[in-house]
Amino acid sequence: MTGEGIDAMVKKVFRVPNMRCSGCAMTLEGLEDELDGVTRVDASYHKQTMEVEYDERRLTEARIIAAAKQLGYDALPA
């Protein structure tokens, strides 16, 4: 094993100012199943943040932001 997959994994935190409840957080966490390359989404409506762990070879930050926008949320790089 060369470690190629490990180097491509990144964690990014996004501010989501219009996340208002646990239902919102659960909706955003559903991006884990919808976006190819995402391995984990942890959303907190208390902190109004979403942490996304993903393979940057398969997915861009812009695509994550666009996917959140399609769900009705503003995801801003923290």
Side-chain angles (χ1 to χ4, degrees):
M1 183 168 169
T2 62
E4 292 171 4
I6 296 169
D7 294 339
M9 296 305 291
V10 295
K11 286 184 189 176
K12 296 227 173 146
V13 177
F14 299 88
R15 289 182 299 112
V16 187
N18 55 342
M19 183 178 5
R20 303 279 185 236
C21 66
S22 60
C24 297
M26 288 177 60
T27 298
L28 286 166
E29 287 177 351
L31 291 174
E32 184 175 324
D33 297 324
E34 294 181 27
L35 293 175
D36 189 39
V38 172
T39 57
R40 188 180 65 82
V41 177
D42 182 24
S44 168
Y45 80 92
H46 289 292
K47 296 178 184 176
Q48 292 187 319
T49 61
M50 172 178 71
E51 182 178 87
V52 182
E53 184 175 337
Y54 66 98
D55 182 340
E56 65 182 353
R57 295 173 303 170
R58 298 168 62 194
L59 187 64
T60 64
E61 182 178 291
R63 177 66 187 109
I64 294 167
I65 292 169
K69 188 71 164 174
Q70 283 183 314
L71 294 174
Y73 299 97
D74 298 321
L76 310 168

